[in-house]
Amino acid sequence: MYKKLFFIVALPFIMTACNKSSSTTNNCNNTGVVSAAEIAAIQKYLTANSITATQDPGGFFYQIVAPGAGVSPTVANTVSVNYKGKFTNGTVFDSNDGKPVVTFQLSGVIKGWQLGVPLIKKGGTINLYLPPTLAYGCNDYNGIPGNSTLIFTVQLVDVQ
């Protein structure tokens, strides 16, 4: 559980590691703004897999599986979730499936979660299709290759 929480919370440190030298060698997008190429890559994945998802103005795509009821979190909230993260090839890289819920401050996780999780309410579930800019960025991190588009299924168990 602590590995997973560390994994999610570590993004701010990872994103600062994306510097000018790496941006010229591995097409690193360190602007904080999702590029047209990242959006096109997600659209291609969605089309190839017959997935209907909504494009958020923040540069990611999502599907609300269940909207939930009651309170939607803000980045100022602490949330408890169940989640699964996978690559576009279907390989799961992280999950708390079969384990206790994970609780954390929403402001301390990757930008894609900060933007996406508030789209549902307590008890809701969302699928997030995140470009690298809103996930773990351009550098390899803990088994996630740099510039990876990631897919998360997040169930919002509680909002505090």
Side-chain angles (χ1 to χ4, degrees):
M1 179 172 101
Y2 294 108
K3 178 183 174 188
K4 290 174 183 60
L5 185 56
F6 172 78
F7 191 62
I8 293 171
V9 173
L11 176 69
F13 303 106
I14 296 165
M15 292 303 290
T16 59
C18 188
N19 61 31
K20 288 184 180 180
S21 63
S22 65
S23 67
T24 57
T25 59
N26 69 0
N27 297 321
C28 179
N29 175 4
N30 63 2
T31 65
V33 177
V34 177
S35 71
E38 290 174 303
I39 291 171
I42 295 174
Q43 288 173 322
K44 182 178 178 182
Y45 169 82
L46 294 170
T47 299
N49 291 281
S50 301
I51 297 170
T52 301
T54 302
Q55 184 176 355
D56 185 87
F60 65 96
F61 290 78
Y62 65 93
Q63 294 172 302
I64 296 178
V65 178
V71 179
S72 290
T74 69
V75 294
N77 285 115
T78 297
V79 296
S80 297
V81 302
N82 288 311
Y83 71 95
K84 181 183 291 185
K86 63 184 182 177
F87 299 115
T88 55
N89 69 5
T91 302
V92 174
F93 63 85
D94 196 9
S95 173
N96 76 323
D97 191 28
K99 300 174 186 163
V101 297
V102 178
T103 300
F104 51 84
Q105 184 81 25
L106 193 53
S107 65
V109 297
I110 60 176
K111 187 70 172 177
W113 278 45
Q114 292 178 23
L115 297 171
V117 174
L119 297 174
I120 57 174
K121 297 176 186 327
K122 182 177 173 180
T125 301
I126 192 167
N127 292 327
L128 300 172
Y129 302 88
L130 303 180
T133 297
L134 300 178
Y136 293 98
C138 58
N139 294 315
D140 295 352
Y141 177 73
N142 206 17
I144 298 177
N147 289 319
S148 291
T149 297
L150 302 178
I151 303 164
F152 289 95
T153 298
V154 182
Q155 177 192 30
L156 182 59
V157 176
D158 198 10
V159 178
Q160 296 112 29

